Amino acid sequence: MNTALAQSRNETCNVDVAIVGGGLVGASLACSLAPLIERFGLTVAVIEAAPMLDAVQAPWQPSFDARSSAIAQGSAERFRDMGLWEAMLEAAAPISQIHVSERGRLGVTRLLANELDQSALGYVIPNAWMGRVLHHRLSGLPLAWHCPATVVEVEPEAEGHRLTLSDGSTFQAGLTVLADGGRSGFKERLGIGSDETPYDQVALIANVEVSHPHGGTAYERFTREGPIALLPLQGQQMALIWTHEAGREAPRLALGDGAFLAELQQAFGDRAGRFRRVGRRHAYPLTLVTARESIRPGLAVLGNAAHSLHPVAGQGFNLALRGVTDLVAALGMALESDEAVGGMLALRDFEARRIVDRHNVVRFSDGLVRLFGIDNVLLSHVRAMGLVGLNLMGPLRRGLARRAMGLER
Ligand SMILES: Cc1cc2nc3c(=O)[nH]c(=O)nc-3n(C[C@H](O)[C@H](O)[C@H](O)COP(=O)(O)OP(=O)(O)OC[C@H]3O[C@@H](n4cnc5c(N)ncnc54)[C@H](O)[C@@H]3O)c2cc1C
């Protein structure tokens, strides 16, 4: 725990902002608040349940068992603003083109970085590395970092919320940000409903090694069983996200490595070369979840707690980072005009900045799943024609690429 706001057990600490969850989104928010901490003396606490890996005992290695994220150019800009981009780049692989195809159909479309005068369409970074860079930065900021510590209660009060931690200590926070990934049940306990659409799909994740240099190509291949995404990592490694109908992933999780690689080769084809090695496999059940409210007096909901998307378009964290930026901008305006950071003026400003982007990205990701997820011959021809057509139509393709890069809201 950082000493700046250290408190002893059973003592209440007053903070301007309490962030529940120091995952990708909560930690990004805390790092983005640094200028407000410095300029206005904003007091911030971050509470994270999972213990951090000890950097000395567990030095970073590009392992074979972690999830990676496609980071859009817009998000790279945000990390640059936080002063973290150089460190992020150390483990990043640039995406020079996105290759979209459908198994058994002719249509292919390519989105190329150089067509957009960009050096890359985006970057792929292992989540563990992003976590490491964010937490390293956090440890140098004058904020209270409680880890491992779990928030067990969030109760509304006249001004803000009272947070109770598992060790009995409490916080009185002017603004509480739920960045807990939606797993703690606080939304529900506070009466914030969500719209949930189960996709009846499970994403099987693993890192694979390919026989040829991938040249920075990210593949999105739609198959009868569901989309397969392969994202470039450093060297000849690629991050696999293989969507299955729920239940069908179980036998594949249980296969030996050789048999698994053979099935992947069969499903994906040879476009990326031969699959040579596979790391640990993990499964993520997929449901579209959108919270019906993202602000209340003294409360904001961010990241997966606000929206959990299908990973097919790699947009969840990118969307959340834009939410982080907009929240920080709204809080900055509030502090400039001497308003409360948990007040509805600031929070409505934040919500107004978010609403269109969130709606568009949820619709875009969900639309992609539905368009390519239906095993329908007619629709399949339309999709193939669409992919061929898209490859011929420069402006539309460039529009799609700009959205994928997070440059379009
Ligand atoms: C298979 C897959 C692939 C994806 N690929 C991409 C991609 O390529 N690009 C992209 O932009 N997005 C991608 N996403 C989405 C992205 O992973 C999420 O948007 C992101 O992880 C959300 O982060 P978060 O911090 O909101 O939630 P989480 O990562 O779930 O973090 C929540 C944190 O809160 C902590 N916590 C929970 N409860 C408590 C509590 N009571 N007290 C204290 N701490 C608590 C947890 O320990 C955790 O650290 C993908 C998602 C999946 C499933």
Side-chain angles (χ1 to χ4, degrees):
M1 181 172 66
N2 193 300
T3 47
L5 290 169
Q7 75 189 108
S8 56
R9 219 182 159 94
N10 298 327
E11 192 183 307
T12 296
C13 186
N14 289 313
V15 288
D16 297 316
V17 182
I19 304 171
V20 184
L24 282 178
V25 173
S28 299
L29 173 63
C31 291
S32 305
L33 286 172
L36 302 188
I37 295 174
E38 193 180 322
R39 182 158 168 222
F40 298 99
L42 190 79
T43 52
V44 178
V46 190
I47 305 107
E48 167 54 45
M52 292 298 122
L53 282 182
D54 184 323
V56 179
Q57 284 175 2
W60 159 259
Q61 295 174 353
S63 71
F64 257 100
D65 61 0
R67 213 166 16 139
S68 298
S69 296
I71 296 302
Q73 280 289 7
S75 299
E77 284 301 321
R78 288 172 184 93
F79 281 134
R80 210 167 267 131
D81 292 343
M82 292 179 220
L84 300 178
W85 187 237
E86 289 300 310
M88 291 288 179
L89 265 182
E90 282 177 40
I95 302 175
S96 56
Q97 63 166 304
I98 303 176
H99 181 288
V100 186
S101 63
E102 185 171 10
R103 186 158 174 82
R105 302 278 157 202
L106 279 178
V108 163
T109 193
R110 285 188 185 82
L111 312 172
L112 301 168
N114 58 16
E115 272 190 328
L116 293 149
D117 297 325
Q118 299 280 338
S119 54
L121 288 166
Y123 300 83
V124 186
I125 312 180
N127 287 12
W129 180 256
M130 287 197 282
R132 183 171 169 143
V133 171
L134 286 163
H135 291 145
H136 183 261
R137 169 82 172 124
L138 275 185
S139 65
L141 290 177
L143 50 72
W145 168 239
H146 293 258
C147 176
T150 305
V151 179
V152 290
E153 201 58 71
V154 177
E155 296 161 284
E157 292 197 321
E159 289 195 7
H161 288 75
R162 172 179 292 267
L163 276 60
T164 307
L165 273 54
S166 47
D167 67 2
S169 55
T170 53
F171 284 97
Q172 212 290 325
L175 174 65
T176 297
V177 181
L178 291 185
D180 61 347
R183 281 189 232 113
S184 314
F186 292 134
K187 261 188 316 178
E188 292 72 15
R189 276 187 264 163
L190 290 166
I192 298 177
S194 298
D195 292 312
E196 296 198 11
T197 314
Y199 286 117
D200 295 321
Q201 293 179 352
V202 174
L204 188 158
I205 307 297
N207 287 352
V208 292
E209 190 178 283
V210 288
S211 57
H212 305 311
H214 49 60
T217 303
Y219 295 91
E220 187 80 65
R221 187 145 175 81
F222 293 92
T223 74
R224 277 171 175 257
E225 286 182 69
I228 302 178
L230 268 183
L231 304 175
L233 292 169
Q234 290 188 346
Q236 280 178 219
Q237 291 182 39
M238 302 193 87
L240 168 72
I241 305 165
W242 190 354
T243 308
H244 289 71
E245 225 173 81
R248 295 200 171 217
E249 80 292 352
R252 290 221 167 101
L253 284 168
L255 284 176
D257 287 358
F260 177 83
L261 290 171
E263 290 203 6
L264 175 62
Q265 199 79 60
Q266 166 71 22
F268 188 81
D270 289 329
R271 282 194 153 82
R274 305 299 297 169
F275 296 111
R276 290 203 301 213
R277 280 179 67 198
V278 60
R280 249 179 86 188
R281 286 158 253 162
H282 303 270
Y284 293 84
L286 303 175
T287 298
L288 171 63
V289 183
T290 47
R292 289 196 200 119
E293 293 169 72
S294 51
I295 53 164
R296 276 190 179 180
L299 190 81
V301 188
L302 274 189
N304 264 16
H307 46 71
S308 173
L309 313 180
H310 197 293
V312 65
Q315 298 275 330
F317 179 53
N318 291 301
L319 175 64
L321 259 189
R322 297 198 286 277
V324 164
T325 306
D326 286 343
L327 182 59
V328 174
L331 298 186
M333 300 267 281
L335 289 164
E336 289 271 8
S337 19
D338 229 2
E339 285 158 20
V341 286
M344 283 310 273
L345 221 57
L347 294 175
R348 282 207 190 95
D349 176 18
F350 160 66
E351 181 59 7
R353 294 167 191 249
R354 292 312 313 133
I355 199 156
V356 173
D357 184 26
R358 195 168 52 220
H359 175 78
N360 286 347
V361 172
V362 169
R363 220 181 40 175
F364 174 66
S365 297
D366 188 51
L368 219 53
V369 179
R370 295 188 189 286
L371 177 63
F372 285 96
I374 304 165
D375 192 13
N376 171 315
V377 176
L378 184 64
L379 203 60
S380 154
H381 284 297
V382 173
R383 292 190 302 244
M385 277 160 50
L387 289 180
V388 174
L390 199 57
N391 212 27
L392 299 174
M393 282 187 283
L396 190 55
R397 196 174 71 246
R398 281 193 283 277
L400 189 62
R402 287 186 66 77
R403 181 171 289 283
M405 287 163 63
L407 297 175
E408 204 124 286
R409 292 191 174 200

